Amino acid sequence: DAKTTQPPSMDCAEGRAANLPCNHSTISGNEYVYWYRQIHSQGPQYIIHGLKNNETNEMASLIITEDRKSSTLILPHATLRDTAVYYCIVRVGYSGGGADGLTFGKGTHLIIQP
Amino acid sequence: DARVTQTPRHKVTEMGQEVTMRCQPILGHNTVFWYRQTMMQGLELLAYFRNRAPLDDSGMPKDRFSAEMPDATLATLKIQPSEPRDSAVYFCASGLGDRGLGLAGTRGETQYFGPGTRLLVL
């Protein structure tokens, strides 16, 4: 799976948009970009994933550059409960029965300031 | 709201004792993963099953760890004998392939994590 690079920490004011960057310059054609987050003392939580198009769900938006070498996770109106470690993971999709396990890096510790 | 459940949530034991952790995946999910999280190593994949068959346990210390799926609703992770270095949070996750195919005929898969078992080996 392609290696990802994320800033170790970021701050964001409550109510503002939080933009979390991720570089994955060695991504290959069949690799997806996933975002998970881990709130303190909880299990990781799936946020969103995409292949080449921008994606949006009830939690966040994922913007993937045209060359797919980087992406940005956007939390449109951050709240204190969004304080967590955010993991960007790039991994191969699968064509058969299912995918392999996830490889987590160190992630970005996002701190939402009141 | 379907969730992955894990028991026990906390376990304190003495070195040399057997530890068994249990996981109930989300009903209908065909893949179960075991991860371990420590301050030093972060989140690491230990093993995973698909349709109850073990696919990969290369992340697991073979001499003391074992993982099984007696049936589709139960996955177990055992440590025997336990050692202080096994102290960690152990997460179970389950998954089901997403619909639709993307580039090169592949698809993504979302994993849903349980709350974890916090293990302390004294």
Side-chain angles (χ1 to χ4, degrees):
Chain A
D1 294 342
K3 182 178 173 60
T4 62
T5 304
Q6 299 178 253
S9 65
M10 291 182 63
D11 288 348
C12 179
E14 188 178 18
R16 304 297 292 269
N19 297 279
L20 291 90
C22 180
N23 286 320
H24 32 80
S25 59
T26 60
I27 193 170
S28 59
N30 64 346
E31 288 183 313
Y32 287 73
V33 180
Y34 282 81
W35 284 85
Y36 283 76
R37 74 179 181 183
Q38 187 173 23
I39 296 170
H40 182 61
S41 298
Q42 297 183 19
Q45 177 190 24
Y46 166 79
I47 301 173
I48 198 167
H49 76 281
L51 189 57
K52 62 174 182 175
N53 297 319
N54 297 338
E55 303 287 342
T56 296
N57 63 20
E58 66 278 6
M59 291 183 68
S61 295
L62 173 61
I63 308 298
I64 302 175
T65 58
E66 193 168 343
D67 63 7
R68 304 207 321 126
K69 293 183 184 300
S70 66
S71 60
T72 301
L73 177 75
I74 302 173
L75 307 178
H77 304 287
T79 70
L80 297 178
R81 290 180 296 178
D82 292 321
T83 292
V85 178
Y86 287 77
Y87 297 98
C88 170
I89 300 168
V90 173
R91 49 91 57 82
V92 176
Y94 64 97
S95 57
D100 300 328
L102 296 168
T103 300
F104 288 86
K106 296 187 183 302
T108 296
H109 187 193
L110 175 67
I111 299 172
I112 306 301
Q113 305 282 1
Chain B
D1 187 21
R3 297 185 182 187
V4 174
T5 58
Q6 291 186 246
T7 56
R9 294 292 307 277
H10 300 87
K11 177 72 176 180
V12 180
T13 191
E14 293 185 345
M15 183 174 62
Q17 297 298 306
E18 177 178 302
V19 175
T20 298
M21 291 169 273
R22 294 175 175 80
C23 167
Q24 182 173 6
I26 293 173
L27 189 64
H29 282 190
N30 66 342
T31 311
V32 175
F33 304 84
W34 282 105
Y35 292 85
R36 175 172 65 181
Q37 186 171 33
T38 62
M39 289 293 293
M40 293 297 294
Q41 300 297 327
L43 272 160
E44 304 172 286
L45 176 68
L46 295 176
Y48 69 101
F49 294 76
R50 180 154 295 121
N51 298 321
R52 297 177 55 200
L55 283 193
D56 186 356
D57 61 2
S58 59
M60 219 164 58
K62 301 291 192 300
D63 56 338
R64 300 182 299 107
F65 284 60
S66 63
E68 296 179 347
M69 276 202 77
D71 60 58
T73 64
L74 177 64
T76 62
L77 180 66
K78 291 186 180 180
I79 308 174
Q80 168 67 319
S82 58
E83 297 181 2
R85 58 179 168 156
D86 301 328
S87 297
V89 183
Y90 291 82
F91 291 105
C92 173
S94 69
L96 178 66
D98 295 333
R99 295 178 181 177
L101 298 177
L103 291 175
T106 61
R107 69 184 76 190
E109 182 179 73
T110 301
Q111 296 183 22
Y112 297 88
F113 284 76
T117 294
R118 282 159 179 75
L119 174 64
L120 177 61
V121 183
L122 302 173

